[in-house]
Amino acid sequence: MSNRMWGGRFSSGPDAIMEEINASIGFDHRLYRQDIAGSIAHAQMLAETGILTQADRDAIIAGLEQVRGEIESQTFTFSRALEDIHMNVESRLKDLIGDAAGRLHTARSRNDQVATDFRLYVRDAIDTIVAQLKTLQLAFVDRAEAEAATIMPGFTHLQSAQPVTFGHHLLAYVEMLGRDVGRFEDARKRLNESPLGSAALAGTSFPIDREMTATAMGFDRPTANSLDAVSDRDFVLETLAAASICAVHLSRFAEELVIWSSAQFGFIRLSDKFSTGSSIMPQKRNPDAAELVRAKIGRILGALTSLLVVMKGLPLAYSKDMQEDKEVSFDALDSLSLSLAAMTGMLGDLTVNRDKMHAAAASGFSTATDIADWLVREANIPFRDAHHITGQVVALAEKKGCGLDGLTIEDFKTVDERIDSRIHKVLSVENSVKSRKSYGGTAPDNVLAQVARWRQILGTAE
């Protein structure tokens, strides 16, 4: 059957090893919806342009719809000897309607066919991922609103730096995910051109209407260069690049969940739904879902790297190397979709230990910068000098074994006489976060304002 589909050039069948390395049906069968949609659009266009009779068109479309039904009901038998989804569908169509099936391939090639199928598939995947991203953003926004005034330590170098609100911390990820949405939407705009009608590489001599097929499949326009159309995989690379950046963002939050849920931090508790136990240590609650999300970036970035390497040295137009684009892409997009779902679930039902967060925020001299700011604002001391004075204050507190709020005014004056009792107003973590009212700052009122802004963007404002 494989030889008959190729044509009369070959007198014998492929070696078993050749069949093994050449076949893609094991993974590209998932393109069946897109393949059949493209074939229906092509058949309708061929009939409208007079290349195909109305009777053949009707038989082809009915046959294709039957094939789609068989695949969806899992009664379709895929054949490795037929290599790919295109030949499997065409062979079954011939079984159903006879010679008319052979006319479907007029004015097209498997080259433009697979390019069209894959664009349609990636477009569908982007739409799913963007919807998931917005759902996750909303989960972060909901949590941020509930934790707008919850105080936690803000870190640099994983060292206590300044107190922040947990709501503010969560909104940082809403911003990241918003950029991810933008990258995917931009990729979608660029991929939304139809390669169908480019044929093998040079276009076709038949009087086809590429605008018609592009419109039928929801593309903005047909591609303008047939060589580029069949050899381009930028749309996949760009989507995988966006997926890799998104996965990095998920991995960073997953890392924080792992750290925060540890006994040493105890900031949060992941629910039983997203935790596992140990086969030997009965006390363990392992944040395995977060750890697996953290690991998925390896697969997703690996797919991007793999396809970049495949494409880097290929001359125009199509080469069989490009068959290696789909398996890694399917895996990467599946992995990202699963990670988004898992992260949304974890975020939705985790428990926050506000007391533990507050206690940690108050440790490590986290309001030291507030002292420096006070010296600048109230004593008119240059910031660099204020920074030095504050360092001396911290050293004194360390020596006395107390926090900054444990120092008396007399202690402060041993460091600098210009400090007065008003300094105590800036030493609490509550006043520290409330004072950070600059746009984009951590103050609770700012958090609530950003929550309202994001609800408006996400279309959930009341």
Side-chain angles (χ1 to χ4, degrees):
M1 179 61 72
S2 179
N3 282 340
R4 183 155 60 83
M5 299 297 285
W6 286 347
R9 174 66 178 82
F10 294 84
S11 59
S12 64
D15 186 87
I17 294 174
M18 179 60 194
E19 182 176 304
E20 181 71 22
I21 196 171
N22 193 48
S24 61
I25 191 61
F27 51 85
D28 72 11
H29 61 83
R30 70 163 69 190
L31 295 175
Y32 77 90
R33 290 188 186 89
Q34 292 78 17
D35 193 70
I36 291 172
S39 290
I40 289 174
H42 188 63
Q44 289 172 331
M45 180 275 296
L46 291 177
E48 288 295 319
T49 54
I51 301 169
L52 192 68
T53 67
Q54 301 291 324
D56 281 347
R57 178 202 63 185
D58 293 345
I60 287 169
I61 291 175
L64 288 169
E65 289 174 345
Q66 181 173 338
V67 172
R68 180 169 54 201
E70 290 176 2
I71 296 174
E72 290 177 347
S73 65
Q74 299 183 356
T75 60
F76 188 95
T77 302
F78 292 103
S79 168
R80 287 179 60 82
L82 292 171
E83 297 183 26
D84 55 32
I85 186 61
H86 323 298
M87 286 188 166
N88 270 266
V89 169
E90 184 176 334
S91 177
R92 178 58 179 150
L93 183 64
K94 183 174 175 59
D95 291 341
L96 294 171
I97 69 170
D99 290 342
R103 297 190 177 95
L104 174 60
H105 210 54
T106 306
R108 75 174 183 182
S109 161
R110 278 195 295 174
N111 293 355
D112 62 338
Q113 191 177 356
V114 70
T116 302
D117 291 359
F118 203 16
R119 281 181 188 250
L120 288 170
Y121 182 90
V122 173
R123 190 178 71 183
D124 290 343
I126 287 175
D127 290 344
T128 297
I129 287 169
V130 166
Q132 288 184 289
L133 279 166
K134 291 180 178 179
T135 299
L136 179 54
Q137 282 184 290
L138 184 58
F140 272 108
V141 168
D142 289 342
R143 274 285 173 178
E145 185 172 28
E147 309 296 342
T150 299
I151 297 173
M152 69 175 291
F155 299 99
T156 61
H157 310 280
L158 202 57
Q159 305 293 314
S160 184
Q162 292 177 283
V164 297
T165 52
F166 188 37
H168 187 60
H169 191 111
L170 295 172
L171 286 176
Y173 286 97
V174 179
E175 296 290 334
M176 294 182 210
L177 297 174
R179 295 193 294 273
D180 292 327
V181 168
R183 274 182 282 270
F184 278 111
E185 290 178 339
D186 286 347
R188 191 191 194 282
K189 289 176 185 176
R190 274 182 285 279
L191 76 76
N192 208 35
E193 296 182 346
S194 172
L196 193 60
S198 298
L201 74 162
T204 178
S205 60
F206 289 94
I208 62 172
D209 185 343
R210 295 190 62 210
E211 292 282 354
M212 181 180 174
T213 51
T215 300
M217 292 181 286
F219 288 113
D220 294 330
R221 64 192 68 85
T223 52
N225 184 286
S226 59
L227 280 168
D228 178 54
V230 299
S231 62
D232 167 48
R233 291 299 182 269
D234 289 0
F235 66 94
V236 193
L237 291 169
E238 188 171 2
T239 301
L240 292 176
S244 295
I245 296 170
C246 180
V248 167
H249 294 154
L250 298 181
S251 181
R252 294 182 74 179
F253 188 61
E255 170 73 2
E256 293 190 316
L257 292 179
V258 171
I259 292 171
W260 294 343
S261 63
S262 67
Q264 289 72 22
F265 273 74
F267 288 179
I268 64 158
R269 180 184 175 90
L270 294 175
S271 74
D272 290 350
K273 297 176 183 177
F274 295 98
S275 304
T276 65
S278 166
S279 62
I280 189 172
M281 296 168 284
Q283 82 281 10
K284 294 290 295 299
R285 286 177 52 82
N286 299 324
D288 281 6
E291 291 172 356
L292 289 167
V293 169
R294 184 176 60 185
K296 292 294 184 185
I297 178 58
R299 297 172 73 150
I300 297 167
L301 179 58
L304 173 60
T305 303
S306 173
L307 187 52
L308 283 167
V309 172
V310 166
M311 297 300 298
K312 73 172 184 62
L314 295 186
L316 298 181
Y318 181 83
S319 297
K320 193 68 170 183
D321 312 50
M322 293 164 68
Q323 183 169 289
E324 292 297 312
D325 58 359
K326 283 172 280 298
E327 196 167 13
V328 293
S329 299
F330 293 157
D331 181 75
L333 296 173
D334 287 349
S335 294
L336 180 60
S337 180
L338 179 59
S339 296
L340 288 166
M343 190 61 76
T344 302
M346 281 186 283
L347 185 61
D349 64 359
L350 63 80
T351 303
V352 179
N353 188 334
R354 297 184 180 93
D355 291 341
K356 197 76 175 281
M357 282 188 173
H358 188 282
S363 66
F365 312 110
S366 64
T367 56
T369 304
D370 295 273
I371 296 175
D373 289 347
W374 185 91
L375 290 169
V376 172
R377 187 172 58 249
E378 303 296 337
N380 198 30
I381 298 173
F383 183 80
R384 284 301 170 199
D385 294 340
H387 184 281
H388 180 74
I389 293 167
T390 302
Q392 292 178 305
V393 170
V394 170
L396 177 61
E398 280 186 315
K399 184 177 179 180
K400 292 177 67 72
C402 65
L404 295 175
D405 56 354
L407 295 174
T408 66
I409 189 60
E410 289 75 19
D411 291 328
F412 278 105
K413 285 186 175 294
T414 62
V415 176
D416 194 290
E417 279 291 336
R418 290 169 288 186
I419 301 176
D420 60 45
S421 59
R422 292 175 297 165
I423 195 72
H424 286 290
K425 293 181 180 179
V426 303
L427 297 181
S428 72
V429 291
E430 288 80 8
N431 286 338
S432 177
V433 298
K434 286 179 183 178
S435 72
R436 309 293 172 183
K437 295 180 179 179
S438 59
Y439 183 77
T442 191
D445 287 346
N446 284 21
V447 172
L448 293 175
Q450 290 298 322
V451 164
R453 167 180 165 259
W454 273 108
R455 290 200 186 283
Q456 193 73 35
I457 293 171
L458 295 171
T460 60
E462 295 181 359

